[in-house]
Amino acid sequence: MPDPLLERHAEALELFGEHVHAISDAQWDAPTPCSEWSVRDLVNHVTAEQLWIPPMVTDGRTVEDIGSTFSGDVLGTDPAEAWDRASAAAHVAFEIPGALDRTVRLSYGPALGSAYCSELTADCVVHAWDLARAIGADDRLPDGLVEFSLKEVMPYAGGLAASGMYDAPLEVPAGADAQTRLLALVGRKG
């Protein structure tokens, strides 16, 4: 029986990948909702996140072991191909029997592989919205991914801004849909 977490992870990677493949040559330097990042910076960030997964999940390496291996430009001259390779390898690493039950050593401490996969799935969903907005694509996220991401982000949403990687959560309008609530939790106005 397929694992629902792995299905959501694959769906999030596919959604982000569709947007990566839709980027025109003229859009790579375009701004994104992540005020410090261009489209290329955003794709580089999410691609680098995928590159961390195999050594950490499959090989049991730590953040210290990996060091600056994935710092800087990981996209090279063919960003879409770099994304495709990284995302496929990341998903394969999580699919290995027992991978979701392994302990991985993240920058903030040890976590189960399933928690790491959940965190990166939600991150990929939010960044898929960022990328869609930046390139003028349909930014409506699939309901299942939105609900999954809301459940993932809600417990730690209050601390995201303190990490320096997110804007402060926004006020959620009464009657807001799930996507608007998710985006507000991560400081984005849908």
Side-chain angles (χ1 to χ4, degrees):
M1 175 180 289
D3 185 297
L5 174 55
L6 292 176
E7 288 179 347
R8 288 292 180 235
H9 182 251
E11 189 179 357
L13 294 175
E14 182 179 342
L15 177 64
F16 191 84
E18 287 171 4
H19 294 319
V20 170
H21 284 275
I23 300 167
S24 72
D25 289 342
Q27 292 176 315
W28 285 100
D29 291 324
T32 70
C34 304
S35 60
E36 303 296 315
W37 287 343
S38 67
V39 166
R40 185 177 177 94
D41 295 332
L42 175 64
V43 174
N44 190 72
H45 165 74
V46 181
T47 302
E49 285 186 327
Q50 307 316 307
L51 292 171
W52 282 86
I53 296 168
M56 293 187 76
V57 172
T58 306
D59 303 337
R61 294 175 67 197
T62 66
V63 171
E64 293 78 21
D65 294 337
I66 297 167
S68 62
T69 303
F70 305 120
S71 296
D73 179 34
V74 298
L75 298 178
T77 59
D78 190 346
E81 176 61 27
W83 164 257
D84 291 343
R85 280 192 319 273
S87 63
H91 191 69
V92 166
F94 280 131
E95 284 185 312
I96 294 170
L100 296 178
D101 298 321
R102 289 184 187 141
T103 298
V104 291
R105 289 159 196 82
L106 305 174
S107 59
Y108 54 81
L112 283 177
S114 58
Y116 185 38
C117 184
S118 294
E119 177 185 321
L120 290 179
T121 300
D123 190 67
C124 192
V125 170
V126 171
H127 286 318
W129 180 86
D130 292 331
L131 186 53
R133 273 288 171 107
I135 65 171
D138 180 4
D139 65 4
R140 190 77 205 147
L141 299 167
D143 291 342
L145 285 176
V146 170
E147 291 298 333
F148 173 90
S149 299
L150 261 174
K151 287 178 187 167
E152 171 62 23
V153 172
M154 284 179 80
Y156 54 81
L160 290 175
S163 73
M165 296 176 63
Y166 292 87
D167 288 335
L170 304 175
E171 188 73 31
V172 179
D177 66 8
Q179 179 168 317
T180 302
R181 291 193 320 269
L182 171 64
L183 295 172
L185 282 174
V186 294
R188 288 159 173 85
K189 185 173 179 144

